[in-house]
């Protein structure tokens, strides 16, 4: 009665049939690294069993799938963080502190009032009351009889003062528009850079996935070949 040839696994130290022997030198590097994580003193000149190799093959595939999900989650978090940073930059444009001086605030308020319907209505009301008081109530013998020289002087002074005030307000608005345009440029540039970074991350992720999938396919082919060899050896 002949005994079947056996060998001892360098991992478990158990006896196994000779046809289940796999040399450590023939194991693929990614799977070999997993084995070395559990057995750092692995002797490369020894052998392990096919069953032990399949355990680490399954572990490698499982780790790849988990890492893929983790990378997608990290990518999603990076996008959310980028969006949050953009929001803070936009809010900075709207919520900037008021650094205007008293003269600048006064010029802005006067320009706002002078460019409103309220000013136009009050302007006509005052002129009509002025003319009516001098012509009808004071019989053109009041403080400003026709042709209303005092009224013309007041209107001329008002126009001469209103023009530089409006120009001051326009200059302030131009400064504000330039600052807003600069910050809009910063936002657009930041968005463009983040889109490029996101595109690079996706390219890197796709390349890494392709390499890992090719590696997994090779591992699966090896597993199928081992199964076929074991079936043929038992016939």
């Amino acid at each position: 009665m002949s005994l079947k040839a056996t060998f001892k696994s360098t991992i478990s130290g158990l006896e196994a049939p000779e046809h289940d022997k796999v040399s450590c030198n023939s194991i693929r590097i990614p799977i070999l690294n997993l084995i070395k994580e559990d057995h750092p003193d692995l002797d490369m000149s020894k052998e392990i069993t096919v069953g032990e190799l399949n355990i680490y093959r399954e572990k490698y595939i499982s780790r790849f799938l988990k890492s893929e999900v983790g990378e997608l989650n990290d990518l999603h978090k990076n996008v959310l963080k980028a969006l949050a940073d953009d929001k803070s930059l936009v809010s900075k444009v709207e919520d900037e502190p008021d650094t205007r001086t008293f003269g600048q605030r006064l010029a802005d308020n006067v320009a706002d009032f002078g460019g409103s319907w309220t000013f136009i209505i009050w302007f006509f009301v005052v002129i009509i009351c002025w003319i009516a008081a001098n012509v009808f109530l004071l019989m053109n013998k009041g403080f400003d009889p026709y042709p209303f020289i005092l009224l013309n002087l007041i209107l001329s002074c008002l126009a001469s003062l209103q023009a530089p005030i409006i120009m001051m307000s326009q200059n302030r608005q131009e400064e504000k528009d330039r600052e807003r345009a600069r910050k809009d440029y910063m936002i657009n540039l930041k968005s463009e850079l983040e889109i490029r970074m996101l595109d690079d991350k996706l390219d890197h992720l796709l390349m890494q996935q392709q390499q890992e999938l090719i590696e997994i396919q090779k591992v699966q082919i090896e597993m199928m070949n081992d199964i076929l060899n074991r079936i043929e050896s038992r016939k």
Side-chain angles (χ1 to χ4, degrees):
M1 182 176 181
S2 61
L3 296 176
K4 292 184 177 180
T6 61
F7 75 101
K8 182 180 291 186
S9 171
T10 187
I11 292 179
S12 63
L14 300 177
E15 295 286 340
E18 188 72 20
H19 60 80
D20 286 343
K21 181 172 64 176
V22 177
S23 175
C24 293
N25 292 323
S26 63
I27 300 175
R28 302 190 66 81
I29 294 178
I31 301 175
L32 185 62
N33 292 333
L34 289 180
I35 298 176
K36 287 183 177 180
E37 289 179 4
D38 297 336
H39 305 278
D41 55 347
L42 180 68
D43 189 355
M44 296 299 296
S45 62
K46 300 296 182 178
E47 298 85 13
I48 63 174
T49 65
V50 175
E52 292 169 342
L53 179 60
N54 288 335
I55 292 175
Y56 283 96
R57 286 169 174 170
E58 294 174 358
K59 185 177 180 180
Y60 170 74
I61 295 174
S62 176
R63 180 175 293 187
F64 165 73
L65 295 177
K66 290 181 180 178
S67 64
E68 182 181 4
V69 174
E71 287 178 358
L72 290 176
N73 290 335
D74 292 339
L75 189 63
H76 185 248
K77 291 178 182 178
N78 290 333
V79 173
L80 292 179
K81 185 178 181 298
L83 292 176
D85 292 339
D86 280 343
K87 183 178 180 181
S88 63
L89 187 59
V90 173
S91 62
K92 184 179 178 181
V93 178
E94 300 296 333
D95 301 333
E96 59 181 0
D98 190 1
T99 58
R100 295 178 299 172
T101 62
F102 174 76
Q104 290 174 339
R105 288 196 299 270
L106 180 61
D108 291 342
N109 293 332
V110 171
D112 292 338
F113 177 72
S116 63
W117 279 104
T118 303
F119 172 77
I120 296 174
I121 293 172
W122 277 106
F123 179 77
F124 280 108
V125 169
V126 170
I127 290 179
I128 292 172
C129 292
W130 185 291
I131 294 174
N134 283 279
V135 174
F136 299 106
L137 295 179
L138 302 177
M139 303 301 294
N140 210 22
K141 296 180 182 180
F143 56 89
D144 189 22
Y146 181 82
F148 312 113
I149 298 175
L150 180 59
L151 178 62
N152 289 328
L153 178 62
I154 293 175
L155 294 178
S156 298
C157 293
L158 179 63
S160 62
L161 289 175
Q162 191 177 18
I165 290 175
I166 292 175
M167 292 179 65
M168 289 173 59
S169 179
Q170 288 179 346
N171 291 334
R172 283 277 306 142
Q173 186 63 37
E174 289 178 359
E175 292 177 1
K176 190 174 182 180
D177 291 340
R178 284 196 296 269
E179 183 67 17
R180 187 180 297 275
R182 185 181 69 85
K183 292 180 178 179
D184 288 341
Y185 171 76
M186 292 172 57
I187 293 172
N188 294 332
L189 180 61
K190 186 172 183 292
S191 300
E192 180 181 357
L193 293 176
E194 286 180 348
I195 291 173
R196 290 183 179 181
M197 291 176 60
L198 182 61
D199 185 61
D200 291 339
K201 289 178 181 178
L202 289 175
D203 290 341
H204 175 72
L205 184 61
L206 291 175
M207 291 178 63
Q208 184 178 359
Q209 284 181 339
Q210 289 176 354
Q211 294 176 355
E212 294 288 346
L213 288 175
I214 291 173
E215 192 69 28
I216 286 178
Q217 288 178 353
K218 291 179 179 179
V219 172
Q220 290 174 341
I221 291 172
E222 288 182 355
M223 294 176 67
M224 293 178 64
N225 289 332
D226 290 340
I227 294 173
L228 292 175
N229 292 332
R230 293 177 65 183
I231 292 174
E232 291 178 356
S233 64
R234 291 179 179 177
K235 290 182 179 180

